[in-house]
Amino acid sequence: MKILGLPGTSFSPSRAIGIDVLKRKIAKATGIPTTKQGLERKIGKTIIKGVKKIIG
């Protein structure tokens, strides 16, 4: 949501509440990404490593 229509100004409720910081801390502590894209990359990488172990 832009404030006063000025470029570069925006407001994010999740950033204001602190949800982004909490999600980042959880992701760093557990090693599990909180974004859909990050989770898909991690799962794909794990599958590829498993297949490589079986093959070679």
Side-chain angles (χ1 to χ4, degrees), residues 34-52:
T34 54
T35 63
K36 181 180 176 183
Q37 183 181 8
L39 193 57
E40 287 174 351
R41 276 198 318 256
K42 187 168 182 92
I43 291 171
K45 193 183 295 186
T46 305
I47 290 172
I48 290 172
K49 283 183 180 179
V51 170
K52 282 184 177 180

Side-chain angles (χ1 to χ4, degrees), residues 3-51:
I3 300 173
L4 302 174
L6 298 172
T9 59
S10 63
F11 176 77
S12 170
S14 64
R15 278 183 41 206
I17 296 171
I19 293 173
D20 290 343
V21 175
L22 180 64
K23 285 172 66 175
R24 193 176 323 119
K25 285 182 180 179
I26 291 170
K28 283 186 94 172
T30 61
I32 300 170
T34 54
T35 63
K36 181 180 176 183
Q37 183 181 8
L39 193 57
E40 287 174 351
R41 276 198 318 256
K42 187 168 182 92
I43 291 171
K45 193 183 295 186
T46 305
I47 290 172
I48 290 172
K49 283 183 180 179
V51 170

